[in-house]
Amino acid sequence: MKQQFSLRASVCLALATLASSSALAAGFQVNEHSANGLGRAMAGQAAKPENASILATNPAAIGVFKEAEFSASVSFIDPNVDIDGDVSYSLVTGATSEQNSSEDNIADTAIVPSFFYVSPINDKLSAGVGVFTTYGLRSDYSDDFGALHFADTAEVKTVTLNPAVSYKVNKQLMVGFGLNITYAEAEIGTGVSSSLKEFVDNEVRPFLLSVNSNFPPIESGDSLLKMEGDDVGFGWNVGIFWQPYEFTNVALSHRAETKLNLSGEITSDVPLLFPFDANQPGSLDLNLAATTEFAVDQKIDDQWSLQASVTFTDWSTFQKLEANLSSGDDYLLKEENFDDSWRAALGVTYILNDEITLRAGYAYDDGVVSVENRSLSIPDTDRHWFSGGMTYTVSEDTSIDVAYVFIDGREANIDKDRPINESIAFTSNFSGTQSATAHILSVQVNTRF
C-alpha cells in the first residue's frame, strides 16, 4: 500500500539528509583518497600513476608499476557550512509566526584514511586492492537551531574494498577491471525545535481544542524521527590507460552505480504525530552514483608536466526518497530530482630536484541541486577548489606526499515549504542562505618492495 501523508516534513527531512552534501564535492561524494592527487585538485588523476593510490581512480594504470607498491594516506577535512535564515509558521486561522533560525558550522570535521597495494604478477598482468571511501557526510545542528523539524543530525559513512586487475594489451595500452564491495551505515534524525513547540502551544493547540480536537504533546529537544541502518552493496569499475606518445598519458575510467538498501530501525519520541507506527523496522534505498573520468597527463620536459581531467557523475538517477516499513507500507518522502554533475580540473607538476616534487591545481565542481530543489537537508552548491602539494623522496623506495586544499562554495538561497498538518493548513517555511568553505590537509606514505 502506498500513501501520501500530511506530516511530510518530519519523516522526509529525517531521511533526506542521506543526500546532504558536505562542503567537499557534488552530492555527498568524497575525493580524499590520494594526497598526491589532492595536490593538483585531482586533475588528471586517472592518467598519472605516481603510486598505488591510482587504483581508486583507474585500475588499468596499476600495470605501470614494475615492483610491488603500497600507499597509505590520511586526510583531515574541516568543512564550514553556515545557514542564515528565518523559520515561519502559518495556520488555517490566519495565525503566523516568524523568527530567526541560523546556525554556523553544521558540518563536522572528519578524518578519512585510505590504503592501497598493487603488484605485478607477470609481464602482462598486475593486481591490487584498495580500501577507501567515495561517499560520506557528517552534519549536526545544535539544540538551539529553530528549524530542527527541517534538519537535525545526519551521518553517512561508507568504506569500499576494491580488488582490481590490469592487463597489458601492448606497450601503449592497458585495460583494468575491479570489483567494489561497499559497506554503508547511516544515522539520520530530526527534532522538535523550540519554535515549533511555541507555535503549537500558542496557536495550534488552542485552535484544535476549540473544535474538540487536540495536538499530541511535544517538548523541545524531542526526537521527531530517527533512522539507523546499514547495508553492503556491490559494484564494479573499469579503466583504460593509453600512452600514444612517450610524453603523453590518456585515461578513461568508469565506476558503476552501487545500489544499497539501508535496513534498520525507525524511532520517534512523538509517534502520535505520524499516520503510521513510527517505532518499527524500516529501510531506505540509496544508490551511490556512477562516475566517469577522462584524464590527460602531458609531460612538457624533464621537470614540467600538465594534468587535466573532466569527471561526469550520474546523479540524475537519484530522483526520490521512499521509506519502506516492515508494516508493508511504502511512503514517498521527497522528490529529490538531483541533476547530473560535471567536474573540471587543471593541474601542474614540477620536479624541483631528485627529492622534491611540487604540485598545484584548480577545479570547478558543479552542484547537483537546482534552485527549486535546494533545502536545509541538501545544502549543495557549486564549488571552486584551490590546491597545492609536494612529494619528498625519503629514499629510493619511499616517499611522503602532503597536500592542502581550500574549497570555496558559492552562496546559495534556500526557500522551502513543509506541510505539517494539511487538514488545518499548518505549514512551515524556511527562507535564507547557505555558504560553505572547507580546508583539507592530506598526508600519504608510499613505498615499494
Side-chain angles (χ1 to χ4, degrees):
M1 176 177 66
K2 290 196 174 186
Q3 299 183 27
Q4 300 276 345
F5 59 90
S6 60
L7 192 63
R8 188 175 298 170
S10 306
V11 183
C12 164
L13 290 165
L15 301 176
T17 44
L18 274 170
S20 297
S21 71
S22 65
L24 307 179
F28 49 102
Q29 285 179 282
V30 176
N31 288 319
E32 290 67 38
H33 47 66
S34 170
N36 61 289
L38 285 172
R40 11 166 227 280
M42 303 303 286
Q45 183 66 7
K48 188 72 170 173
E50 295 176 296
N51 52 61
S53 67
I54 187 69
L55 184 149
T57 312
N58 186 0
I62 67 175
V64 168
F65 303 114
K66 305 301 183 183
E67 300 175 274
E69 300 251 350
F70 174 78
S71 295
S73 72
V74 59
S75 296
F76 173 75
I77 306 171
D78 182 21
N80 182 12
V81 182
D82 299 336
I83 304 294
D84 183 17
D86 297 291
V87 63
S88 62
Y89 302 91
S90 63
L91 191 62
V92 67
T93 61
T96 62
S97 175
E98 180 176 324
Q99 59 181 271
N100 181 263
S101 182
S102 300
E103 184 89 356
D104 292 338
N105 298 321
I106 68 166
D108 290 349
T109 58
I111 295 177
V112 180
S114 63
F115 307 92
F116 302 92
Y117 173 79
V118 301
S119 177
I121 297 175
N122 53 44
D123 291 342
K124 292 284 190 179
L125 198 63
S126 296
V129 63
V131 180
F132 53 96
T133 183
T134 52
Y135 295 88
L137 70 94
R138 177 74 172 92
S139 63
D140 187 11
Y141 288 87
S142 72
D143 292 341
D144 295 329
F145 183 55
L148 290 177
H149 54 292
F150 277 84
D152 187 2
T153 60
E155 183 173 20
V156 177
K157 295 185 290 186
T158 70
V159 59
T160 295
L161 177 67
N162 187 181
V165 295
S166 173
Y167 178 74
K168 185 178 296 184
V169 178
N170 53 46
K171 291 183 178 180
Q172 287 77 40
L173 181 65
M174 302 175 192
V175 295
F177 176 79
L179 294 174
N180 302 315
I181 305 167
T182 298
Y183 172 76
E185 64 179 25
E187 180 179 337
I188 315 298
T190 56
V192 176
S193 63
S194 57
S195 65
L196 175 61
K197 173 177 169 52
E198 180 180 338
F199 191 78
V200 167
D201 289 346
N202 294 339
E203 303 292 345
V204 179
R205 200 180 309 282
F207 166 69
L208 289 176
L209 289 174
S210 71
V211 294
N212 298 318
S213 185
N214 201 358
F215 197 90
I218 59 174
E219 296 295 335
S220 298
D222 281 349
S223 170
L224 205 55
L225 196 75
K226 182 171 76 170
M227 179 176 180
E228 297 176 286
D230 61 1
D231 190 28
V232 175
F234 300 90
W236 51 271
N237 61 311
V238 295
I240 297 172
F241 182 77
W242 181 40
Q243 296 177 297
Y245 307 104
E246 181 182 358
F247 294 156
T248 305
N249 298 337
V250 179
L252 181 65
S253 64
H254 176 77
R255 185 174 296 277
E257 177 185 58
T258 299
K259 296 183 177 181
L260 297 164
N261 181 261
L262 301 174
S263 299
E265 297 289 331
I266 295 177
T267 60
S268 175
D269 290 336
V270 285
L272 292 178
L273 286 176
F274 299 91
F276 59 89
D277 180 5
N279 290 285
Q280 64 170 298
S283 65
L284 178 73
D285 290 335
L286 179 67
N287 299 335
L288 306 181
T291 61
T292 303
E293 178 179 346
F294 175 75
V296 176
D297 171 33
Q298 179 63 55
K299 188 175 180 180
I300 305 301
D301 55 32
D302 290 340
Q303 290 181 290
W304 292 93
S305 63
L306 297 175
Q307 293 76 42
S309 59
V310 176
T311 304
F312 171 78
T313 304
D314 187 20
W315 276 119
S316 62
T317 60
F318 186 47
Q319 293 296 304
K320 66 179 181 179
L321 287 169
E322 189 170 65
N324 310 119
L325 306 180
S326 63
S327 60
D329 296 324
D330 296 331
Y331 293 92
L332 178 63
L333 305 176
K334 189 172 186 287
E335 296 287 348
E336 292 293 350
N337 299 316
F338 267 25
D339 295 329
D340 293 331
S341 69
W342 291 88
R343 185 181 190 275
L346 183 65
V348 60
T349 302
Y350 176 66
I351 301 175
L352 180 65
N353 52 45
D354 290 340
E355 284 136 5
I356 296 176
T357 298
L358 303 175
R359 303 178 183 86
Y362 166 79
Y364 177 77
D365 200 4
D366 188 25
V368 301
V369 183
S370 60
V371 174
E372 59 270 24
N373 290 311
R374 183 175 292 113
S375 68
L376 279 175
S377 62
I378 308 179
D380 187 61
T381 186
D382 305 334
R383 301 161 184 82
H384 299 274
W385 290 51
F386 306 92
S387 69
M390 66 171 286
T391 296
Y392 176 70
T393 301
V394 179
S395 67
E396 183 180 353
D397 296 324
T398 303
S399 63
I400 298 174
D401 300 319
V402 295
Y404 167 75
V405 182
F406 174 70
I407 301 175
D408 185 21
R410 178 177 60 85
E411 184 175 286
N413 294 325
I414 304 173
D415 189 359
K416 301 301 292 184
D417 293 309
R418 295 296 176 188
I420 298 178
N421 189 319
E422 292 178 344
S423 65
I424 56 174
F426 180 19
T427 64
S428 182
N429 170 272
F430 181 90
S431 179
T433 61
Q434 64 143 112
S435 59
T437 60
H439 302 272
I440 303 171
L441 180 63
S442 185
V443 179
Q444 182 170 309
V445 176
N446 314 290
T447 188
R448 65 174 64 97
F449 42 88

